[in-house]
Amino acid sequence: MKLYSDTELAQILDKPIFHLIGETADEQGVECYVVGGFVRDIFLERPSNDIDVVVVGSGIDIAKAMKEKIGRRAKLSVFKNFGTAQVCIYDKAGNRREIEFVGARKESYSHDSRKPVVENGTLEDDQNRRDFTINAMAICLNKERFGELVDPFDGIYDLEDGIVRTPLDPDVTFSDDPLRMMRCIRFATQLNFFIDDETFDALERNKERIRIISGERIQEELNKIMSTKTPSKGLVEMHRCGLLHIILPELTNLDIVEKGPDGRGHKNNFYHTLEVLDNVARKSDNLWLRWAALLHDIGKAKTKRWDPQNGWTFHNHNYIGAKMLPDIFRRLKLPLDMKMKYVQKLIDLHMRPIAIADEVVTDSAVRRLINDADDDIDDLMTLCEADITSRNELRKKHFIENFRIVRTKLADLKERDFKRLLQPVIDGNEIMEMFGLKPSKEVGTLKLTLKNAVLDNSVPNEREPLLKLLMQKAESMGLTPTS
């Protein structure tokens, strides 16, 4: 964070594009300001390529005039219904910069919609409608006031203090547009800021309003939170204010610790999950691997049982969690394509490497893991290593060492192109033809016999040895070849 005087801001904006915007506005006799995230990021010393400009007048007219001045290097898009226009400028290298123009406006809302009634307004009206003080700052681009900061809500001090706060009454801000509640938490997470106490209290009071927001808009903000350096921060804030229970109750259902009759309790699986998520985030930017980390234990709430001998158990929570995933993705309007299948696979398989690492690491077990995880084996290992959050240092050391062995065996098998050998040379079609069978349980049993033999390396993946094994198994099942 760095504070700048108006003179220093003028120097930072001393670029042809900003002077051109200011000159165009002067020619039409209107005020214009660069606003929002672009201004915020100047003080945070963060790169920001897209520019938002507020015109106290017609933003569309200024955009059209800009397009005329720039010529063929600029592309104009007008959104008349919203009173906005966009000018995309391409430099000689083909790089693109977007400038969004909008007329200053004031807004009013009805209770059952986040779509406002919009009227022309002043700069003050426009700043009043902004979501947070750090996004409500404006810098004038007109020639006489070029570089002058207009900051009626002291957003510059909130930036300095690392606070997210609404310009006006937060209850009105969040009730008018409930998506701002998600944006509040997202900005706090992205910038590693605190949420102002009064603003946070309003999040709690208005949380139910999030129900009028579409799944698409919610998942956009969720994905931005999930893509941050420490996504757990945003999820904790969502949980504290009650939003997470509305959006992802399957996750908040994990925030319970019960004790059995003998006093033995289990770990808090909600906070364990957040620890796993942050562990993955330190290793990978893969958004869908992060989603797998967030949802890998959601089946535990449904599978939790007390066993007098073993204490609390969560048998098959991976299988149940994978089954729950499509409903969650459908509700949040997340993609139901291969991305969901990928997350589902990792959730279903996430216990396998841990089970292997808890015992002697055999080639056979690793071969089976490669066969089932296929191209996602490395991501699965990243998730499982992130899942080691035990406070027992000896047990943790044991898992880490065994995972290292698993990784070594994986690399060795890949190097030998073992994947090519995992499917038996005799397939299901040949088995059906050989014994005159249709697709059936018997065919599946014979295929599995051959596959297990190959995976266990008990029979070479060659025709003659596998044929001999096939005949032995068929005979035990009362099957005879047709010829």
Side-chain angles (χ1 to χ4, degrees):
M1 164 71 190
K2 187 170 182 180
L3 295 173
Y4 294 104
S5 66
D6 289 353
T7 302
E8 290 171 322
L9 289 174
Q11 291 173 346
I12 291 170
L13 297 179
D14 186 18
K15 295 179 174 62
I17 187 62
F18 295 111
H19 288 296
L20 186 60
I21 296 170
E23 289 168 12
T24 306
D26 285 337
E27 289 169 5
Q28 297 199 14
V30 296
E31 298 173 32
C32 72
Y33 303 82
V34 60
V35 297
F38 187 87
V39 177
R40 179 196 67 226
D41 289 342
I42 288 176
F43 293 100
L44 291 177
E45 301 181 276
R46 300 196 324 165
S48 186
N49 195 45
D50 297 338
I51 303 167
D52 290 326
V53 174
V54 163
V55 178
V56 186
S58 172
I60 293 175
D61 288 348
I62 297 294
K64 288 179 177 178
M66 283 284 294
K67 159 64 180 168
E68 289 299 316
K69 287 175 180 287
I70 297 169
R72 287 183 299 176
R73 286 191 301 110
K75 180 182 177 183
L76 173 67
S77 301
V78 175
F79 309 97
K80 196 170 182 180
N81 289 344
F82 298 97
T84 66
Q86 183 187 80
V87 177
C88 295
I89 303 172
Y90 298 86
D91 62 20
K92 292 179 180 179
N95 297 315
R96 166 183 169 136
R97 166 165 269 183
E98 294 180 1
I99 307 172
E100 198 86 29
F101 292 88
V102 63
R105 61 194 187 188
K106 55 183 176 181
E107 299 174 340
S108 57
Y109 291 80
S110 63
H111 186 74
D112 60 349
S113 173
R114 61 181 292 265
K115 294 180 179 178
V117 176
V118 178
E119 303 174 66
N120 292 335
T122 63
L123 176 66
E124 181 183 2
D125 291 326
D126 202 87
Q127 289 178 299
N128 285 344
R129 74 177 182 84
R130 298 280 163 173
D131 50 8
F132 308 109
T133 59
I134 59 175
N135 294 333
M137 297 180 288
I139 302 174
C140 188
L141 297 179
N142 296 92
K143 186 174 182 180
E144 287 194 5
R145 296 169 54 211
F146 192 84
E148 178 185 314
L149 177 67
V150 183
D151 182 19
F153 305 110
D154 292 329
I156 192 71
Y157 297 115
D158 286 343
L159 275 181
E160 192 173 25
D161 294 336
I163 290 174
V164 179
R165 179 171 62 90
T166 60
L168 303 178
D169 182 344
D171 283 307
V172 175
T173 297
F174 294 146
S175 181
D176 281 350
D177 184 355
L179 187 64
R180 289 171 177 163
M181 294 189 286
M182 293 294 296
R183 285 170 57 82
C184 176
I185 292 170
R186 189 247 294 179
F187 280 120
T189 310
Q190 285 179 329
L191 302 174
N192 196 25
F193 279 17
F194 294 101
I195 299 173
D196 165 72
D197 288 344
E198 187 179 345
T199 300
F200 186 85
D201 291 343
L203 289 176
E204 291 184 285
R205 288 191 294 269
N206 291 276
K207 62 181 180 290
E208 291 295 331
R209 292 280 288 156
I210 200 68
R211 296 186 190 275
I212 73 168
I213 303 298
S214 69
E216 288 90 349
R217 300 308 301 272
I218 290 173
Q219 62 100 340
E220 283 177 19
E221 294 299 325
L222 260 179
N223 281 340
K224 288 175 182 177
I225 291 170
M226 291 286 286
S227 298
T228 60
K229 184 179 179 181
T230 311
S232 66
K233 176 178 170 61
L235 291 156
V236 166
E237 297 289 36
M238 287 178 66
H239 188 29
R240 285 179 58 222
C241 72
L243 281 172
L244 192 62
H245 182 70
I246 297 171
I247 294 168
L248 255 178
E250 297 87 351
L251 198 59
T252 58
N253 288 345
L254 299 178
D255 186 16
I256 184 172
V257 176
E258 291 186 72
K259 289 187 177 180
D262 65 355
R264 275 187 288 177
H266 58 81
K267 65 186 172 186
N268 185 306
N269 287 303
F270 175 74
Y271 289 101
H272 160 74
T273 292
L274 297 189
E275 190 175 351
V276 174
L277 174 60
D278 284 348
N279 287 344
V280 167
R282 280 190 282 271
K283 296 283 188 180
S284 174
D285 292 331
N286 181 339
L287 174 63
W288 304 107
L289 178 55
R290 293 181 181 207
W291 270 104
L294 182 68
L295 302 176
H296 78 285
D297 273 350
I298 52 169
K300 281 190 171 180
K302 288 187 175 183
T303 58
K304 182 166 61 175
R305 301 287 185 274
W306 171 257
D307 182 322
Q309 288 187 324
N310 300 309
W312 291 102
T313 65
F314 305 91
H315 294 311
N316 290 325
H317 74 272
N318 54 314
Y319 172 76
I320 297 299
K323 285 287 206 181
M324 293 166 64
L325 194 71
D327 285 343
I328 294 172
F329 266 49
R330 197 172 291 113
R331 186 177 74 238
L332 293 177
K333 300 298 188 289
L334 288 162
L336 300 175
D337 56 12
M338 295 307 295
K339 296 183 180 70
M340 186 197 76
K341 295 291 186 184
Y342 164 87
V343 175
Q344 197 170 31
K345 181 203 283 189
L346 294 190
I347 292 174
D348 190 24
L349 293 178
H350 83 269
M351 295 300 293
R352 289 274 296 281
I354 292 173
I356 293 172
D358 203 18
E359 301 171 358
V360 176
V361 182
T362 65
D363 281 359
S364 174
V366 175
R367 286 190 192 101
R368 291 173 182 277
L369 189 61
I370 292 175
N371 181 69
D372 293 340
D374 201 28
D375 293 336
D376 301 317
I377 184 66
D378 288 333
D379 288 348
L380 177 63
M381 291 300 297
T382 298
L383 171 60
C384 293
E385 286 166 348
D387 202 12
I388 305 171
T389 63
S390 173
R391 298 297 179 260
N392 183 325
E393 289 302 320
L394 286 177
R395 183 166 171 77
K396 192 171 183 177
K397 185 177 179 181
H398 164 76
F399 273 120
I400 290 172
E401 174 58 22
N402 274 22
F403 271 131
R404 186 190 65 76
I405 296 170
V406 172
R407 287 272 194 187
T408 302
K409 285 186 180 291
L410 283 169
D412 181 51
L413 292 173
K414 282 182 179 180
E415 188 176 337
R416 288 186 274 145
D417 194 20
F418 200 87
K419 181 179 174 184
R420 176 175 52 84
L421 303 177
L422 290 178
Q423 294 301 324
V425 295
I426 300 174
D427 63 16
N429 290 328
E430 188 173 356
I431 291 172
M432 288 189 288
E433 184 178 346
M434 197 178 297
F435 294 96
L437 297 171
K438 292 182 178 180
S440 59
K441 184 178 179 181
E442 287 83 359
V443 176
T445 299
L446 292 172
K447 282 176 61 180
L448 186 61
T449 299
L450 300 185
K451 185 174 183 178
N452 284 340
V454 170
L455 291 173
D456 291 336
N457 204 26
S458 58
V459 174
N461 193 7
E462 298 169 3
R463 185 170 183 78
E464 290 306 316
L466 284 179
L467 192 58
K468 182 179 179 181
L469 174 64
L470 178 64
M471 293 304 175
Q472 290 172 349
K473 182 63 178 176
E475 184 179 356
S476 72
M477 296 169 61
L479 298 173
T480 56
T482 55
S483 58

